[in-house]
Amino acid sequence: MKRICAFVFAWSIIAVACTDTRSNCPTVIKDPQVVNSLEGDLVTPDSVISVLDWKLTDRYIVIYTSQADGVLQLWSLPELKYHGSYIRKGRGPGELIAANWGQTVERNAVILYDIPAGKLTRYLVRNDSLETECVLDIAGRRTQDKSLFKPYVDILQMNDSFYAMRASDRQKDELSIVNLRHGDVVSYAEELLQRDPEKDQYLEYDYLLATDGRHLVKAYMESDRIEIFELLGTDLLPRCVITGPENSVSSGYNDIICMGDRFVCLFASDGSGEGNILEVYGYDGSQLDRIALSHPLTHILYDEKNKIFYGYNACSEKNNFYLFRYPK
């Protein structure tokens, strides 16, 4: 694979004062110019894939899927060969009534949460298989405590006890830090996007979340907007807002990767819903790179060991992985 154009390391940030007086966090206007391009290699897998979400472990990509033989699949690295399926839906031993994908920063761990059962299960990838490590009660330890019975749509483990948990319906969107070891909400994140409750519907402002354990990145699916929070103690504090220029076209984000000192967002610049740009930022909002992809994607991962972006397009009828080499 060859690089289409030479990498130009660019820092192009225009910081302006945040108009939201509640948080007083800075707003960064990103540079929309593409400075780098990546040509992808196509890999046709040896088994049918259907990616809803995924993550990297030391030896595998774990794929969260809707397939009946198991909601989790292991694919070996770096050749992307199918290894097996695990965790069925049902009410039998080891099965989950509803297996919802969660996120954890621990590299060889996977979490699923079962809202009807009120449980969160952590699995470890060991000895070429998945092993149950622990089961936590989402509803809290006290049966009379109903504070955690909410319509959770996202759960992200940030450390051993604290989880960022998003509850959302048509009337309200709530992002909180929950201590699942104790079963209680310890804080609520500030909502930075100003809304008119008489005009705005919350579903119009759907967003993605990702964490490195210290920071929480929030990227909007129908808007050119990213928000960065930092976990200090028990609180998620807003640090920065990143937006496009005022005249930018309809666009939004498809995926986020949080890494050690930076994060990457998959951006759909043409309003198609398929991401064709990778934006690389520091957690202070600094723009580190902007990359045009040869193939549009809906999902992205980065393998730091092999210096590869793995991509997948759930909107395409083609059953393919895409590999983009990025030695940075």
Side-chain angles (χ1 to χ4, degrees):
M1 175 175 21
K2 65 180 181 178
R3 307 285 283 275
I4 294 177
C5 64
F7 173 73
V8 180
F9 193 76
W11 294 72
S12 300
I13 309 167
I14 304 173
V16 299
C18 181
T19 57
D20 188 342
T21 56
R22 295 174 301 163
S23 63
N24 199 31
C25 68
T27 296
V28 173
I29 308 300
K30 70 183 183 185
D31 182 356
Q33 299 301 312
V34 173
V35 298
N36 194 19
S37 298
L38 290 179
E39 187 75 23
D41 290 338
L42 184 147
V43 176
T44 301
D46 57 357
S47 182
V48 176
I49 54 176
S50 176
V51 178
L52 299 177
D53 217 319
W54 59 358
K55 75 168 292 181
L56 278 173
T57 68
D58 288 337
R59 297 180 56 191
Y60 298 100
I61 289 181
V62 182
I63 291 180
Y64 170 59
T65 179
S66 59
Q67 293 178 208
D69 59 342
V71 298
L72 297 180
Q73 297 179 347
L74 297 185
W75 292 76
S76 59
L77 294 173
E79 68 276 8
L80 295 176
K81 297 294 184 182
Y82 175 71
H83 184 78
S85 296
Y86 307 85
I87 316 300
R88 292 177 177 269
K89 291 183 181 180
R91 297 179 181 271
E95 296 179 335
L96 301 180
I97 302 172
N100 298 286
W101 179 259
Q103 296 184 41
T104 175
V105 294
E106 295 185 49
R107 186 168 177 84
N108 292 306
V110 180
I111 61 176
L112 295 174
Y113 60 99
D114 188 341
I115 294 178
K119 303 291 183 181
L120 180 145
T121 306
R122 279 174 39 87
Y123 304 92
L124 295 180
V125 182
R126 285 180 176 170
N127 302 321
D128 300 330
S129 64
L130 286 175
E131 300 178 6
T132 301
E133 182 196 27
C134 66
V135 179
L136 297 177
D137 191 350
I138 297 178
R141 294 183 177 180
R142 298 174 298 171
T143 57
Q144 68 271 24
D145 183 5
K146 306 297 183 182
S147 64
L148 297 184
F149 281 110
K150 296 177 181 178
Y152 288 111
V153 295
D154 289 296
I155 294 182
L156 302 88
Q157 183 183 16
M158 302 194 72
N159 56 43
D160 185 57
S161 299
F162 288 174
Y163 291 72
M165 299 174 62
R166 177 193 178 195
S168 183
D169 55 29
R170 291 182 180 273
Q171 284 73 44
K172 188 176 183 181
D173 193 283
E174 179 182 276
L175 183 60
S176 58
I177 294 296
V178 178
N179 187 331
L180 282 187
R181 295 292 178 182
H182 296 159
D184 58 354
V185 177
V186 296
S187 67
Y188 292 92
E190 180 180 339
E191 186 176 342
L192 301 182
L193 188 61
Q194 296 284 0
R195 305 172 188 265
D196 184 341
E198 297 182 356
K199 298 179 180 179
D200 294 344
Q201 293 292 322
Y202 276 84
L203 291 182
E204 295 178 3
Y205 296 92
D206 205 4
Y207 56 84
L208 305 167
L209 293 169
T211 184
D212 67 342
R214 175 183 171 187
H215 302 92
L216 190 75
V217 178
K218 182 178 182 181
Y220 287 77
M221 299 171 67
E222 301 293 335
S223 177
D224 192 350
R225 180 183 176 92
I226 299 170
E227 298 170 2
I228 305 171
F229 295 81
E230 183 178 3
L231 180 65
L232 290 180
T234 62
D235 297 320
L236 270 179
L237 301 180
R239 290 304 185 214
C240 177
V241 175
I242 303 171
T243 67
E246 291 185 3
N247 60 350
S248 58
V249 299
S250 176
S251 55
Y253 291 90
N254 290 77
D255 210 349
I256 314 169
I257 312 167
C258 283
M259 300 153 70
D261 59 351
R262 54 188 166 155
F263 66 92
V264 180
C265 289
L266 177 61
F267 181 65
S269 63
D270 57 3
S272 67
E274 299 173 66
N276 58 338
I277 299 289
L278 292 181
E279 298 178 349
V280 185
Y281 296 100
Y283 290 105
D284 60 355
S286 56
Q287 186 170 337
L288 306 181
D289 203 355
R290 186 171 171 85
I291 308 162
L293 300 176
S294 60
H295 302 280
L297 307 171
T298 57
H299 298 76
I300 197 81
L301 291 172
Y302 186 61
D303 181 352
E304 294 190 69
K305 178 181 178 181
N306 296 298
K307 306 299 182 183
I308 294 173
F309 280 112
Y310 295 100
Y312 178 77
N313 190 343
C315 298
S316 173
E317 296 180 357
K318 297 179 180 179
N319 185 46
N320 296 319
F321 292 108
Y322 297 93
L323 275 63
F324 302 84
R325 301 193 182 277
Y326 185 68
K328 281 243 348 124

